[in-house]
Amino acid sequence: MTKPSVFSTRPLFPAARAILEQHFEAEYWTAPERIPRTELLRRVADKDALVCLLTEKVDEELLAAAPKLRAVATVSVGYDNIDVAACTRHKVVATNTPGVLDETTADFAWTLLMAIARRLVEGDAWLRTGSWPGWELDQLLGGDIWGKTLGIIGLGRIGSRVARRAQGFQMRILYHSRHRAPLGLEAELHAEFAELDRLLHESDFVTLHVPLLPTTRHLISAEALGKMKPSTYLINTTRGPVVDEEALARALQRGTIAGAALDVYENEPRVHPDLLGLRNVILAPHIGSATIETRTKMAVLAATNVAAIFAGQRPPNALNGDALGL
Ligand code: NAP
């Protein structure tokens, strides 16, 4: 029996390729640069399944160009690149990779939080210029982390891991989420629910962990930034458009907040030009989940998801499983 066909927009990792190749005739995009859109549309035209990255849009145009397609797996937990409703209309199962990157991404939110509070990147750059004069009493003074108030927006899988790590720093934790967390989890995390305004007013660090949705686009607007204290730091490891980057650049220029550490941007790979010249911002190139262990797990999970669909099983992470009656 001929195997179904899959196209992957990246060569993935050997462990994920092994799963794909057991179940599919697999083709990969192997060039170092990202696959051009026209090439992607051409390569999926006769495929049964697609494994893609968050940088590739799966929309009406792509689905119309791939009439045989039955499954799409994004190698990411965020799936704002996928029009899930359009997938359902085309009877295509869409999947993501939740759960396997929570701890790693929480680690990175903390990496950014600590680095911006203690001005690590700024200090490193200074040292490399050769002009550091040696220890000084008032040099590169940052903000304390321990004992401060951490505001977590989106207490889901990653947000709750960020909260857990804060306990070692004896921090007070406020969180805001669509729904209140179960009381047991609140108690375990020592996390107190707060309306968004209160969280913005009282937090020394605000860290974002909501998905990108119409309701979260520009959640951190000029108005929201205006509610933060001049000593507050903003950490964004979720999706760029959750923050109004133009408004953030203004707030950082005027010093109405102390600093920001970002892993994600509104128009990746472009970064707002006004941010590039500022010292009170850290700009990371979207590497929140970028460890060898976690990226391998993500690719394996994406491969497992598409393989399950063709084995007649409910994939572990179907986004439209109910809508398609799986
Ligand atoms: P999750 O478990 O679904 O958690 C998201 C949380 O946000 C949930 O608690 C949800 O509340 C809350 N939420 C949704 N809409 C909201 C709103 N309008 N206002 C307030 N809270 C809202 O997701 P996750 O696995 O933690 O991942 C979160 C996001 O992180 C992903 O969507 C992805 O974009 C991003 N991410 C980025 C990287 C990176 O490389 N930088 C890595 C991994 C993930 P309810 O449960 O009540 O709906």
Side-chain angles (χ1 to χ4, degrees):
M1 211 173 77
T2 54
K3 289 179 181 171
S5 56
V6 66
F7 180 65
S8 171
T9 61
R10 273 281 162 253
L12 305 172
F13 299 98
R17 283 203 298 271
I19 296 169
L20 288 183
E21 286 160 22
Q22 193 186 340
H23 297 272
F24 297 94
E25 291 298 335
E27 273 180 34
Y28 306 92
W29 177 256
T30 54
E33 70 276 8
R34 195 168 292 162
I35 186 165
R37 177 75 177 175
T38 48
E39 182 65 10
L40 174 59
L41 296 182
R42 197 179 72 73
R43 298 291 285 272
V44 291
D46 59 349
K47 299 297 182 300
D48 298 299
L50 170 67
V51 177
C52 65
L53 306 186
L54 56 85
T55 46
E56 280 115 24
K57 286 233 169 305
V58 175
D59 54 10
E60 188 58 50
E61 181 191 38
L62 183 142
L63 294 162
K68 284 178 66 194
L69 205 64
R70 281 180 54 207
V72 168
T74 184
V75 189
S76 58
V77 62
Y79 54 89
D80 40 282
N81 55 321
I82 297 184
D83 183 339
V84 178
C87 285
T88 305
R89 282 197 299 278
H90 285 263
K91 300 197 169 23
V92 172
V93 184
T95 67
N96 66 340
T97 63
V100 293
L101 39 58
D102 304 345
E103 305 290 354
T104 300
T105 309
D107 280 351
F108 195 66
W110 269 93
T111 303
L112 288 179
L113 187 157
M114 297 181 78
I116 189 67
R118 300 304 303 272
R119 304 176 67 174
L120 177 64
V121 175
E122 211 182 321
D124 179 275
W126 185 23
L127 210 87
R128 288 167 198 269
T129 64
S131 57
W132 178 54
W135 198 92
E136 264 297 345
L137 190 61
D138 57 355
Q139 213 173 62
L140 281 178
L141 303 183
D144 262 335
I145 298 167
W146 76 275
K148 292 288 183 71
T149 298
L150 176 65
I152 299 174
I153 304 184
L155 195 77
R157 286 174 293 250
I158 298 170
S160 58
R161 269 39 175 224
V162 170
R164 199 157 285 146
R165 283 158 175 71
Q167 289 173 34
F169 292 86
Q170 296 157 271
M171 294 178 96
R172 171 180 173 240
I173 301 173
L174 298 177
Y175 80 93
H176 178 75
S177 227
R178 209 155 31 177
H179 304 102
R180 225 181 128 159
L183 292 181
L185 184 64
E186 282 189 358
E188 183 198 327
L189 299 175
H190 305 285
E192 181 190 343
F193 181 82
E195 290 306 333
L196 186 59
D197 276 8
R198 184 176 152 229
L199 181 147
L200 296 171
H201 277 299
E202 295 185 16
S203 298
D204 300 297
F205 298 90
V206 173
T207 182
L208 306 177
H209 301 286
V210 291
L212 175 59
L213 300 168
T215 49
T216 59
R217 187 172 288 274
H218 284 195
L219 185 70
I220 302 302
S221 58
E223 194 191 345
L225 289 160
K227 289 175 182 158
M228 296 181 195
K229 299 184 282 190
S231 54
T232 295
Y233 298 92
L234 176 71
I235 320 299
N236 188 10
T237 55
T238 187
R239 284 288 182 269
V242 175
V243 176
D244 179 342
E245 228 166 70
E246 169 82 27
L248 176 63
R250 296 287 88 76
L252 290 167
Q253 281 167 339
R254 292 177 188 144
T256 61
I257 68 168
L262 311 174
D263 187 38
V264 287
Y265 306 90
E266 267 199 89
N267 299 299
E268 293 179 14
R270 279 176 289 129
V271 177
H272 194 292
D274 291 353
L275 291 175
L276 295 172
L278 294 174
R279 281 191 310 175
N280 53 350
V281 63
I282 292 176
L283 305 168
H286 203 151
I287 51 172
S289 65
T291 65
I292 183 65
E293 297 93 333
T294 290
R295 288 283 170 86
T296 302
K297 285 183 198 157
M298 290 163 67
V300 164
L301 187 52
T304 306
N305 273 308
V306 284
I309 294 163
F310 287 85
Q313 296 155 3
R314 188 184 171 108
N317 312 111
L319 296 164
N320 52 355
D322 290 340
L324 291 173
L326 291 183

